């Protein structure tokens, strides 16, 4: 796994996965911008209604209608803000999924340099830390899934 050819293949897989994630992040950011514009529009409308209440002397029934409308705008603003927080969380989650090959290379170098001098417990600790799954096939081939490489 530390050969140049294998590392190049892994890097290509990571790049492909990262491009997919970046497209998803871009779409989420676009939706976030739309939500923020909607919040600003609602704030503007609510402020106009509030200014109207302050500046004019409306009868009681009209004041009640205006106050109801202001409450509707406030509730809508809260709902949109919740959507904004969800979008920000989704963006953060997707951003955290973007991977580089550097940490994997460091672990491979540490293994390559040290494995001959490691005792059993050190080797076990490294394997538990870095391997997700090791699959042996009847034909003698093996598939290794590393925790630091989450590519699809």
């Amino acid at each position: 796994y530390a050969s140049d050819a294998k590392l190049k293949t892994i890097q290509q897989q990571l790049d492909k996965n990262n491009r997919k994630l970046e497209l998803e992040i871009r779409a989420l950011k676009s939706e976030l911008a739309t939500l923020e514009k909607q919040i600003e529009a609602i704030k503007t409308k609510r402020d106009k209604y509030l200014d109207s209440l302050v500046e004019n002397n409306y009868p009681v029934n009209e004041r009640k209608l205006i106050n109801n409308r202001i409450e509707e705008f406030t509730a809508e603003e809260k709902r949109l803000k919740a959507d904004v927080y969800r979008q920000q969380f989704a963006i953060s989650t997707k951003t955290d999924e973007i991977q580089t090959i550097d940490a994997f290379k460091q672990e491979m170098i540490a293994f390559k340099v040290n494995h001959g001098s490691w005792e059993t417990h050190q080797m076990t600790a490294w394997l538990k830390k870095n391997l997700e799954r090791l699959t042996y096939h009847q034909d003698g081939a093996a598939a290794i899934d590393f925790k630091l490489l989450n590519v699809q």
Side-chain angles (χ1 to χ4, degrees):
Y1 276 86
S3 72
D4 284 341
K6 188 64 176 177
L7 288 174
K8 189 178 243 185
T9 302
I10 292 169
Q11 183 65 54
Q12 289 171 344
Q13 290 172 330
L14 288 176
D15 289 345
K16 180 181 176 184
N17 194 51
N18 288 346
R19 280 191 300 275
K20 179 183 162 229
L21 288 169
E22 287 166 358
L23 286 173
E24 291 173 13
I25 290 169
R26 208 172 301 134
L28 290 169
K29 284 183 176 180
S30 176
E31 291 173 27
L32 178 62
T34 300
L35 288 170
E36 289 171 341
K37 287 178 186 175
Q38 289 174 343
I39 289 172
E40 287 305 313
I42 284 178
K43 282 182 181 180
T44 301
K45 289 178 185 178
R46 187 187 63 215
D47 288 346
K48 286 181 181 177
Y49 274 82
L50 285 169
D51 291 344
S52 171
L53 270 179
V54 170
E55 294 171 0
N56 299 309
N57 196 7
Y58 291 111
V60 174
N61 60 345
E62 285 185 37
R63 282 187 170 280
K64 188 174 182 179
L65 289 173
I66 292 172
N67 280 325
N68 288 342
R69 192 71 175 130
I70 291 170
E71 288 174 12
E72 289 172 13
F73 286 136
T74 302
E76 180 68 9
E77 181 183 0
K78 287 180 183 178
R79 187 192 63 74
L80 289 172
K81 282 184 178 180
D83 290 345
V84 164
Y85 294 133
R86 276 192 286 281
Q87 287 297 100
Q88 289 171 335
F89 179 76
I91 290 168
S92 177
T93 301
K94 292 288 181 190
T95 302
D96 290 345
E97 291 177 17
I98 292 176
Q99 299 176 324
T100 66
I101 198 168
D102 298 337
F104 176 74
K105 284 181 179 179
Q106 289 173 343
E107 287 297 328
M108 289 286 97
I109 291 169
F111 180 78
K112 196 173 188 178
V113 170
N114 299 318
H115 81 279
S117 63
W118 280 347
E119 294 180 18
T120 304
H121 73 278
Q122 291 171 307
M123 180 67 76
T124 303
W126 188 92
L127 291 171
K128 285 181 178 179
K129 175 183 173 191
N130 292 290
L131 294 186
E132 183 74 32
R133 179 177 43 246
L134 183 61
T135 309
Y136 289 102
H137 302 283
Q138 288 182 342
D139 62 2
I144 303 172
D145 293 333
F146 290 93
K147 290 181 180 177
L148 292 173
L149 297 176
N150 184 15
V151 288
Q152 298 153 349

